[in-house]
Amino acid sequence: MKKHLNSQSILLLAVNGLFVLAGALSGTFLNVYIWKVKPDFNLIAWFTFSQQVALGLVFWIAGKWVKERDKMIFLRLGMIVSGIFYLLVLWTGKHTVDYIWPLGLLFGTGSGLFWLAFNVVYFEVTDVETRDRFNGWVGILGSVIGIFGPWVSGWLISMKHGEAGYRLIFTLSLIVYGTGILLSFWLKKRKTGEPYSWLAPVRMLKKGSPWRQAAPASAAHGLREGVFSFLINLLIFISTSAEWRIGQYSLITSLVSLVSFWAVGKWLKIRARYYGMLLGAVLITAVIIPLLWKVNYATLMVMGVGTSLFLPLYLIPVISSVFDLIGNSPESVEQRVELIVLRELSITVGRLGGTLLFIAVYSMVPRMPTITWLMFALGATPVLSWLALRRLLKRGAKAANSA
């Protein structure tokens, strides 16, 4: 029987929710804002690439300070830097397109600082019995925010007629970040660890290590995520020319996701991760097929609803299985920061690879069918994740059955 989440887990969920809310209010429309100034797919892709570069570097470099000093400082610093990013976007306005690289690096730095500290604290406040439940609640919270955040933003942008609406939602995100910083002071200060090992992530990839399976699985996960993170909302806007349609899309898909994450988080047992993840990976690939026929709001909605319905089957096992590896021995627990860095660097490598592939292929053949076929190819990479992780999943199922 699964244990209930403790008060620190619930508080961490709340801080996470505020960070995600700020992103939902403004981040959902950030690429659309840039597109309206300069409609260029590769410009948006390079903006995303710069964020991913900063994210990976921050995880590797800041790992030392997160392990040896107060993690809460970096959790708050991530929200502060993200707030500064939106201040600069407000200041530069339409000239944001002239500062894609520095702004992207700043945004990625803020995200990296927050998620590094969050993932370390998340591991410390959960265990193998509560990890799936916590991940389920993260998904539920993200879905609830996805229902209301983008819908409110899309409505405000439409009501305020463009520029004024964007300035309002960017300001709202600043307020939400400030609230998250205040709430984080109720999180307990975590214990500091032993000295940080810079090369530990590399050593963990030695022959016979389970990370030889977990790292490629995480990289394959990043291949899809890197491109889909900026492309979906952009395609909806291009297809409809209306920001409120993005809000509507997010509302509907998040409602589906809310139910799906709740159900999978509640009922998916460790022994069922093997087939659950495979089924989820296959189905979230299959729902992309309608886009190969035609890209419009209807086919994008089919893909969005299908992804929301089946993604938790894939996502919860892949996250929980990797974090269970961190907790499988006293040595790995002691090196939890280094292992979280390894996981995030693996995902970042995948994100960078997927984004560079998109830029290279689209530069050679700048047509919409190129985009949809790339989406299908990259959208199938969760199957590669499952293939890489299948032995660990089987081992986990056997351990759960014998317990």
Side-chain angles (χ1 to χ4, degrees), residues 68 133 192 237 255 330:
E68 297 177 5
R133 176 164 289 189
T192 56
F237 179 74
L255 274 171

Side-chain angles (χ1 to χ4, degrees), residues 96-224:
T96 297
V97 296
D98 300 324
Y99 305 100
I100 286 300
W101 269 93
L103 285 173
L105 290 171
L106 183 67
F107 194 41
T109 298
S111 298
L113 289 168
F114 178 86
W115 290 116
L116 173 58
F118 172 83
N119 282 332
V120 174
V121 178
Y122 146 67
F123 173 79
E124 293 178 355
V125 300
T126 61
D127 55 32
V128 69
E129 293 184 358
T130 59
R131 208 152 282 144
D132 281 350
R133 176 164 289 189
F134 185 92
N135 286 328
W137 274 108
V138 168
I140 291 169
L141 201 57
S143 299
V144 171
I145 291 167
I147 291 169
F148 298 105
W151 182 84
V152 169
S153 293
W155 178 75
L156 287 172
I157 292 169
S158 300
M159 290 293 292
K160 293 285 186 178
H161 304 293
E163 181 71 18
Y166 279 103
R167 296 182 72 83
L168 176 58
I169 63 169
F170 292 156
T171 302
L172 287 174
S173 286
L174 284 172
I175 296 170
V176 173
Y177 281 130
T179 306
I181 292 167
L182 290 175
L183 189 61
S184 71
F185 283 98
W186 275 270
L187 282 166
K188 293 178 182 177
K189 185 176 180 179
R190 315 304 301 178
K191 291 181 180 179
T192 56
E194 296 296 321
Y196 181 76
S197 174
W198 292 97
L199 295 179
V202 177
R203 288 197 295 269
M204 288 297 171
L205 296 177
K206 64 184 179 183
K207 189 174 182 180
S209 168
W211 286 94
R212 289 282 288 265
Q213 301 155 46
S218 298
H221 172 64
L223 280 168
R224 180 187 194 275

Side-chain angles (χ1 to χ4, degrees), residues 272-305:
R273 285 179 184 172
Y274 181 87
Y275 292 108
M277 183 179 169
L278 174 61
L279 181 63
V282 170
L283 291 175
I284 61 176
T285 303
V287 296
I288 303 171
I289 293 174
L291 294 181
L292 301 176
W293 170 60
K294 190 174 184 179
V295 178
N296 57 27
Y297 189 65
T299 55
L300 285 165
M301 185 62 76
V302 168
M303 186 204 70
V305 170

Side-chain angles (χ1 to χ4, degrees), residues 2-14:
K2 294 180 179 178
K3 296 189 294 185
H4 293 292
L5 298 178
N6 58 40
S7 60
Q8 286 291 292
S9 297
I10 295 169
L11 189 56
L12 185 64
L13 280 171

Side-chain angles (χ1 to χ4, degrees), residues 77-89:
L77 190 58
M79 289 186 276
I80 290 169
V81 173
S82 298
I84 291 171
F85 165 80
Y86 282 112
L87 272 176
L88 290 175
V89 171

Side-chain angles (χ1 to χ4, degrees), residues 57-75:
L57 287 174
V58 165
F59 263 92
W60 183 55
I61 296 170
K64 176 178 175 63
W65 287 270
V66 168
K67 183 174 184 178
E68 297 177 5
R69 301 183 185 181
D70 186 5
K71 302 168 183 64
M72 295 305 138
I73 292 175
F74 290 88
L75 196 76

Side-chain angles (χ1 to χ4, degrees), residues 16 53 156 163 189 209 330 345 363-364 389 395:
N16 169 74
V53 168
L156 287 172
E163 181 71 18
K189 185 176 180 179
S209 168
L345 286 178
S363 296
M364 290 186 289
L389 211 57
R395 195 180 306 160

